[in-house]
Amino acid sequence: MEKHRCGWCKGNPLYEAYHDEEWGVPVKDDDTLFEYLILETFQAGLSWITVLKKRDNFREAFDNFNYKKIATYNQKKIDSLLLNVGIIRNKLKVNATTTNAQAFIKIQNEFDSFSKYVWSFVDGTPIKNEFKNHKDAPANTPLSDMLSKDLKKRGFKFVGSTVIYAYMQATGMVNDHDVNCFRYDEV
């Protein structure tokens, strides 16, 4: 018997694996939180499947999302990234990755970890919504507005409320699996 999944991932094995294994699982590890943040910023204006298909290329191009290295990227490295056909070559987004890595480190220094900072917005506990259909989930919320605004104030780029809500869903801060999805009660 086939498992019931959220409708947005059906029909693509890569999407289904991401849904089944990662999406909505609470992430409290700074390295993984940074990876998701960067991937979500590159996804802005595009479909998530586009980013997923290029994820391994992103890992290779961006030193396995090592934010300490990325924070020190110089123009030569940025120029080489803009020539890399394996990633999304948006100049503003590539430049924002270095800026975001620097801002990420500042938050770590202030809060002892990025995880402590970002999870404080949900009091350390995932918000469990009860949507019957993925189409009922919002694109953003007052909470994602607040987190987005705070990140922007701290120097982050490409962190609009919709990007941040997708980030909150991906990292398990918000459980937006359909209530009849097999993952709803698992995460």
Side-chain angles (χ1 to χ4, degrees), residues 27-30 33 104 107-108 111-121:
V27 175
K28 300 217 175 169
D29 168 71
D30 275 10
L33 286 168
F104 189 89
I107 286 178
Q108 284 182 316
F111 293 88
D112 295 323
S113 75
F114 186 81
S115 180
K116 284 182 185 177
Y117 160 77
V118 77
W119 277 90
S120 73
F121 284 83

Side-chain angles (χ1 to χ4, degrees), residues 57-64 69-84 87 94-95 98:
N57 297 336
F58 274 104
R59 280 191 180 124
E60 185 178 335
F62 286 97
D63 294 298
N64 284 322
K69 278 187 179 180
I70 294 169
T72 65
Y73 281 1
N74 59 24
Q75 193 59 51
K76 182 179 178 184
K77 174 64 176 181
I78 290 169
D79 290 343
S80 74
L81 289 167
L82 293 171
L83 296 174
N84 186 333
I87 65 169
V94 170
N95 282 315
T98 300

Side-chain angles (χ1 to χ4, degrees), residues 7-27:
W8 59 264
C9 71
K10 291 180 182 178
N12 182 303
L14 183 61
Y15 238 177
E16 289 179 1
Y18 170 71
H19 169 273
D20 294 358
E21 298 163 19
E22 295 181 70
W23 192 72
V25 176
V27 175

Side-chain angles (χ1 to χ4, degrees), residues 21-67:
E21 298 163 19
E22 295 181 70
W23 192 72
V25 176
V27 175
K28 300 217 175 169
D29 168 71
D30 275 10
D31 293 337
T32 308
L33 286 168
F34 182 75
E35 176 179 348
Y36 277 114
L37 184 64
I38 296 311
L39 292 174
E40 291 292 351
T41 62
F42 272 94
Q43 184 266 333
L46 304 170
S47 69
W48 183 244
I49 193 66
T50 300
V51 174
L52 276 182
K53 287 177 180 177
K54 296 176 177 281
R55 189 177 193 181
D56 288 338
N57 297 336
F58 274 104
R59 280 191 180 124
E60 185 178 335
F62 286 97
D63 294 298
N64 284 322
F65 299 105
N66 181 330
Y67 50 86

